[in-house]
Amino acid sequence: MSWEDNVHKVIPYVPGEQPKGNIIKLNTNENPYPPSPKVKAALESFDTDELRLYPDVNGGELLDKLSEVYGIDKDKIFIGVGSDDVLSVAFQTFFAGKAPILFPDVTYSFYDVWAELYNIPYRTIPLNEDFRIVKEDYLCANGGIVIPNPNAPTGVEKSIEDLEYIISSNPDSVVIIDEAYVDFGARSVLPLIDRYDNLLVVQTFSKSFCMAGVRIGMAFGNRRLIKYMNDVKFSINSYTINRLTVAAGVAMLEDEDYLKEVRSKVVATRERVKGQLKELGFSFPDSRTNFIFASHEKISAKDIFEAAKKKGIYVRWWDKLRIYDYLRITIGTDEQMDTFIAFLREFINGYI
Ligand SMILES: *Cc1c(COP(=O)(O)O)cnc(C)c1O
């Protein structure tokens, strides 16, 4: 007998590498552009005396600002420490049933980690050969459903109509739509939260808001869903949103023009890179995100991944069934993408 017999042993989620130094980082879907100058100003003028006091348990001014900008009542919004925290609380809150929860087989690789950690039975539903979600596959008995839209790491968007079909066909399950990438040109199901009391929409400041380092995520849903999530949150840690986070988040939300500009820059770069990748012999499902999930006609993804890394360019590759031949390439600045494309051109020419 040892204390180790009593350890809750888990296999953790493996985040993308965060290497230091002069590298081109296209591996964790961060935004290549900095937050608005208003964020800098807000942090510089922050009154550090305030740090003596606990923050507001619900996010205070950040909640007020989100409510104003999204036009959604405050008691229909939950704020967490990034959407990973929001999703983790949602899993603990809504998936206490006996039937398995459902999510796609190729998807965000944190879902099965939480399911294991919280002892939630789950079943993965295969995407079709085009990496698309088949809506009829989500009609079987289940204890809940999680779908990212657009999906990660594929970048594929599912139509609002198809998602509504899944949500309305499962009135006895909470359906979580993880919209981490929705601001890069996809449509949001947010307008449906008043129609379906089983719909929870999760978004994040990490990608389209240029603030992965600040850790803000939010969920939108009807009052009862949000109340149940708060009950769980207040059973773990009430003061999750610190005062500096609130100041930075509010300032970012106050600069909608900047956000629009940054997002359209990323989308324009993505569309340009799609053309270049095609010319180089890559194919990929059409992306509505800030990344492209691409496979080369001749060269293995692993070889490209390793060669790029040697040149200081980091993309993401998984040693996993079905997606072994794919690279997930985050859209960086135009300059970064030019360097990456130049590397690919040289590597592919030398290889073939
Ligand atoms: C990035 C990502 C998240 C979590 O991001 P946070 O930084 O924790 O907000 C959640 N879901 C998907 C699908 C993601 O790609």
Side-chain angles (χ1 to χ4, degrees), residues 89-97 143 174 176 200 225-226 228-229:
V89 170
F91 270 56
Q92 290 179 83
T93 308
F94 302 120
F95 300 154
V174 170
I176 300 176
L200 189 80
L225 290 177
I226 300 304
Y228 280 126
M229 284 180 74

Side-chain angles (χ1 to χ4, degrees), residues 81-84 87 108 111 148 152 178 180-181 204 206-207 215-216:
V81 185
S83 55
D84 285 341
L87 288 161
Y108 188 38
Y111 300 151
D178 180 354
Y181 301 100
T204 175
S206 296
K207 283 90 184 211
R215 314 303 300 133
I216 297 172

